[in-house]
Amino acid sequence: MSPLWDLQKTYADRVKAMLHDRLGRAPRACVRTFGCQQNEADSQRIEGMLSQMGYSFTGNPEEADLIIFNTCAVRENAEDRVFGNVGELKRQKEKNPELIIGLCGCMVQQPHITKRIQKSFPYVDLVFGTHALASLPELLFQKLQSRRRVFDIHESDGEIVEGLPVRRVDGVKAWVPIMYGCNNFCTYCIVPYVRGRERSREPEAILEEIKQLTANGVKEITLLGQNVNSYGKNLERPLSFAGLLEQIDALPGDFRIRFMTSHPKDCTRELIDAIARCQKVCRHIHLPVQSGSSRVLSAMNRHYTREQYVDLIRYAREKIPGVSFTSDILVGFPGETYEEFLETLSLVQEIEYDSLFTFIYSKREGTRAAQMEDPVPYAEKSAWLRQIIAAQEDIASRRHEALVGETLRVLVEGAGKHPGTVQGRSDQNIIVEFPGEESLFGSFANVKIERAANWAVFGTREE
Ligand code: 5AD
Ligand code: SF4
């Protein structure tokens, strides 16, 4: 347990007592999360701390005494959505001046955003950045005591605070952060500026958390980090990501292990070999390529070429039969030409991913790419994006077709799209739907695949 959290617990108790006096009932919080899985994991910690302060939870902001938006800074449209949503809260605050509105996460870690909140959104009470997350009880205490606005967006090398309470609603799947921050400075990306330098959790803390989760029935663990392949480099007793995976794989219990995100430059053959050896690690690697042009990759500061990336995929496919790849694609990087875009399209066709996350470049203040000439109009970039998406739909349909006749092991997550069906994912992360009952939720089932679409495959359960 970290001393910081010990101190925060005392604030949590004081907040709980103050709120009880003021409201005469349990306070209600509404936490909304934007962006990536790391943010989802952070929100579970925010909710864990709020539980400790006596809060219950509601999805309806109108019913809440405290609203927190955990924000994302990766693209402009995510930021616009947050500002839109905050704008809508103004009337609610006028009706209920006791309402506390908080903003946290990557977006508010940027000074120009904080200034804008200070000036244009006077009804936002509490603003805390990524490094201040574990101080939430203290910040809320300050807010309740002084009624003044509270801002904490200090920079930090990032202490890791262990022992924060976590509120998990899903009993089947769990996120487990293994490292925080990013050192890569891809030229388009704001993450290294808002989440600070890479730092890894101690393996003992990670293993302990996973042991507890699986003992409580969790069946799927997703290890999280901006670049999991560089896990462990800054530990006192360095341990590679491959080493960590093998230690987790050796834990007892019937569960599976996923991880994201892998950076191709740090995805070593040692890691591929380890995945091949592990029993519980899923045969799926999310390996964002961003672009198929070596010239653009270099301008992005990605530290690999198209050829190196293709070689890595080839090696993995040899060593891990049936391994599935997914990727992030960024089109319209400043200065990218149509011919270079076509190289990305041809790479997508060559690799045959199972699915893709596709994005149009969004200029981020403070990054190196923001200084670069960007002559291609947005409409043209949108047309490029549509071409990639259309190509990927065909590829996914074909790859799914090829699964007909195979039996896949599926972790059942919930109801399917069609009445009387359930759905889950195979270890390659493919969505599988089949006739079944609610009693199957949270268990593994073997499903013989009979039919395919571009978003899922369909089959029947084998006994
Ligand atoms: N514009 C658009 N997409 C971006 N990403 C990161 N930065 C930007 C940006 N400025 C994408 C990358 C990354 C994913 C998480 O978000 O593809 O892999
Ligand atoms: Fe951003 Fe690159 Fe770090 Fe990923 S690896 S978070 S894209 S800087």
Side-chain angles (χ1 to χ4, degrees):
M1 183 90 43
S2 137
L4 192 140
W5 177 241
D6 276 346
L7 171 68
Q8 291 302 320
K9 260 203 316 218
T10 64
Y11 282 109
D13 291 341
R14 291 160 85 177
V15 168
K16 189 173 182 173
M18 276 168 106
L19 285 170
H20 190 266
D21 284 352
R22 264 187 213 181
L23 296 169
R25 58 166 170 80
R28 284 184 293 262
C30 173
V31 179
R32 277 200 58 189
T33 310
F34 298 78
C36 66
Q37 289 79 6
Q38 185 64 57
N39 256 19
E40 300 274 352
D42 284 349
S43 287
Q44 292 180 339
R45 280 162 182 78
I46 290 171
E47 292 193 352
M49 290 187 276
L50 292 175
S51 288
Q52 192 113 17
M53 292 182 255
Y55 280 92
S56 64
F57 296 91
T58 169
N60 179 1
E62 308 249 329
E63 289 175 353
D65 306 294
L66 167 69
I67 298 172
I68 293 185
F69 289 160
N70 188 8
T71 64
C72 170
V74 167
R75 281 169 292 275
E76 194 177 3
N77 57 8
E79 295 189 339
D80 289 345
R81 260 196 302 142
V82 169
F83 278 129
N85 280 297
V86 175
E88 283 167 22
L89 294 180
K90 187 171 179 200
R91 271 198 24 244
Q92 202 178 327
K93 179 82 174 192
E94 281 163 2
K95 271 195 292 183
N96 173 16
E98 295 299 312
L99 170 68
I100 298 176
I101 300 175
L103 293 181
C104 68
C106 293
M107 180 176 160
V108 303
Q109 192 69 42
Q110 305 169 94
H112 71 278
I113 296 282
T114 322
K115 271 196 211 114
R116 183 165 162 199
I117 297 166
Q118 250 155 352
K119 235 177 74 194
S120 310
F121 297 89
Y123 51 93
V124 172
D125 304 281
L126 185 60
V127 177
F128 55 107
T130 55
H131 304 289
L133 185 103
S135 305
L136 176 59
E138 184 176 355
L139 300 173
L140 209 47
F141 175 75
Q142 283 172 11
K143 171 67 209 163
L144 288 168
Q145 212 184 29
S146 75
R147 295 186 172 262
R148 276 208 303 265
R149 307 175 79 191
V150 175
F151 284 73
D152 185 347
I153 56 156
H154 72 270
E155 299 270 339
S156 155
D157 278 344
E159 179 196 0
I160 292 185
V161 184
E162 289 292 350
L164 291 189
V166 188
R167 178 173 181 260
R168 301 180 196 267
V169 179
D170 187 335
V172 180
K173 303 204 296 181
W175 311 117
V176 175
I178 60 168
M179 60 182 304
Y180 302 91
C182 180
N183 288 354
N184 293 316
F185 290 94
C186 300
T187 51
Y188 50 81
C189 187
I190 196 69
V191 169
Y193 301 90
V194 293
R195 283 202 175 260
R197 297 294 65 74
E198 280 176 5
R199 55 224 180 258
S200 300
R201 289 178 70 192
E202 292 291 339
E204 293 75 19
I206 298 169
L207 290 163
E208 194 46 47
E209 185 174 347
I210 295 175
K211 269 191 223 162
Q212 282 188 13
L213 288 167
T214 54
N216 288 331
V218 167
K219 294 283 191 291
E220 183 178 296
I221 301 287
T222 303
L223 308 174
L224 293 180
Q226 249 70 42
N227 176 11
V228 289
N229 302 135
S230 69
Y231 171 81
K233 286 185 183 157
N234 58 340
L235 290 173
E236 248 172 57
R237 281 168 292 137
L239 173 68
S240 69
F241 180 56
L244 177 71
L245 269 186
E246 296 200 282
Q247 291 190 22
I248 299 172
D249 193 65
L251 293 175
D254 186 15
F255 66 96
R256 62 190 187 186
I257 306 162
R258 297 188 185 282
F259 56 88
M260 66 190 311
T261 293
S262 292
H263 193 307
K265 84 173 163 63
D266 298 313
C267 185
T268 57
R269 294 186 171 210
E270 178 209 0
L271 174 62
I272 305 278
D273 295 344
I275 297 171
R277 275 195 304 274
C278 287
Q279 298 297 309
K280 296 180 175 125
V281 176
C282 289
R283 288 174 301 156
H284 167 227
I285 308 179
H286 182 62
L287 198 64
V289 69
Q290 314 296 355
S291 166
S293 150
S294 294
R295 206 281 304 162
V296 174
L297 287 170
S298 163
M300 288 176 163
N301 194 33
R302 293 287 291 177
H303 293 283
Y304 55 85
T305 61
R306 176 191 178 116
E307 291 68 34
Q308 286 166 333
Y309 183 87
V310 171
D311 266 358
L312 186 63
I313 299 255
R314 196 177 300 132
Y315 182 79
R317 284 188 164 149
E318 243 169 58
K319 291 282 161 159
I320 315 168
V323 64
S324 147
F325 283 98
T326 55
S327 194
D328 295 348
I329 298 284
L330 184 54
V331 304
F333 182 78
E336 183 180 12
T337 63
Y338 181 61
E339 287 68 33
E340 286 165 341
F341 155 72
L342 288 179
E343 290 185 66
T344 303
L345 187 61
S346 82
L347 182 79
V348 165
Q349 277 155 342
E350 179 178 345
I351 303 284
E352 301 209 312
Y353 293 104
D354 279 299
S355 70
L356 284 182
F357 296 93
T358 53
F359 308 106
I360 296 179
Y361 167 75
S362 165
K363 182 174 173 174
R364 307 286 62 213
E365 196 170 314
T367 60
R368 268 160 56 204
Q371 310 294 323
M372 299 177 188
E373 292 283 321
D374 189 8
V376 176
Y378 190 82
E380 198 169 333
K381 294 181 180 183
S382 299
W384 296 358
L385 187 81
R386 286 196 298 276
Q387 259 183 279
I388 296 266
I389 293 171
Q392 180 55 36
E393 278 177 4
D394 283 350
I395 293 166
S397 298
R398 259 187 283 126
R399 288 188 63 81
H400 288 170
E401 253 343 298
L403 293 171
V404 171
E406 277 193 34
T407 297
L408 302 180
R409 188 161 189 255
V410 178
L411 176 58
V412 183
E413 291 172 16
K417 277 199 181 172
H418 301 96
T421 65
V422 296
Q423 88 170 31
R425 285 175 185 264
S426 72
D427 77 329
Q428 299 107 320
N429 214 28
I430 288 166
I431 298 173
V432 182
E433 189 185 87
F434 60 99
E437 307 285 322
E438 219 172 277
S439 59
L440 290 171
F441 291 2
S443 61
F444 288 104
N446 290 323
V447 181
K448 175 124 193 214
I449 305 307
E450 292 153 353
R451 208 159 54 75
N454 62 13
W455 63 277
V457 294
F458 309 88
T460 336
R461 184 169 167 230
E462 287 182 340
E463 292 308 322

